[in-house]
Amino acid sequence: MPTVLTSPTDASCSGVSTPPLWHIDAVRGRPPQRYYIGAPLRRLNGAHVGVLCVVDTRRRHPASPDQAAYLMGLARQASTALEARLDRQVRSRLA
């Protein structure tokens, strides 16, 4: 599972040289990951459940503030969808 990074969005424009990402196979693999930006996926109780991320094998310029905000918005939408799915599963088990 990808690292859940501490800042709302975390980017690396040269993934191989970024220690928090070394354990991810794609970073060390062929072709190696050269760009990463991620936004944490959180449950309503604050628990981290994953990361919505963008990866590329080419180096890229850092994301603009607008791009980072867009990724955070997508992560919030994904978190909401995950929460709704879990809620439906719980309700169907109780029925």
Side-chain angles (χ1 to χ4, degrees), residues 3 5 7-12 36-40 51-54 71-72 75:
T3 301
L5 301 164
S7 64
T9 58
D10 209 329
S12 169
Y36 170 95
I37 184 169
V51 177
L52 178 66
C53 61
V54 176
L71 183 63
M72 287 298 296

Side-chain angles (χ1 to χ4, degrees), residues 39-69:
L41 299 175
R42 293 189 183 100
R43 298 219 30 218
L44 290 175
N45 65 6
H48 293 272
V49 295
V51 177
L52 178 66
C53 61
V54 176
V55 295
D56 199 342
T57 56
R58 294 189 335 228
R59 291 179 193 263
R60 302 234 176 235
H61 293 289
S64 70
D66 286 345
Q67 291 169 323

Side-chain angles (χ1 to χ4, degrees), residues 18-94:
T18 307
L21 305 177
W22 284 346
H23 74 282
I24 301 171
D25 290 337
V27 172
R28 296 184 318 268
R30 294 279 174 224
Q33 171 187 317
R34 296 293 183 201
Y35 179 82
Y36 170 95
I37 184 169
L41 299 175
R42 293 189 183 100
R43 298 219 30 218
L44 290 175
N45 65 6
H48 293 272
V49 295
V51 177
L52 178 66
C53 61
V54 176
V55 295
D56 199 342
T57 56
R58 294 189 335 228
R59 291 179 193 263
R60 302 234 176 235
H61 293 289
S64 70
D66 286 345
Q67 291 169 323
Y70 187 73
L71 183 63
M72 287 298 296
L74 288 174
R76 281 191 298 275
Q77 289 179 7
S79 295
T80 300
L82 288 170
E83 199 71 40
R85 182 178 179 193
L86 288 170
D87 201 33
R88 283 191 306 273
Q89 288 176 344
V90 168
R91 282 194 218 149
S92 69
R93 287 182 187 150
L94 295 175

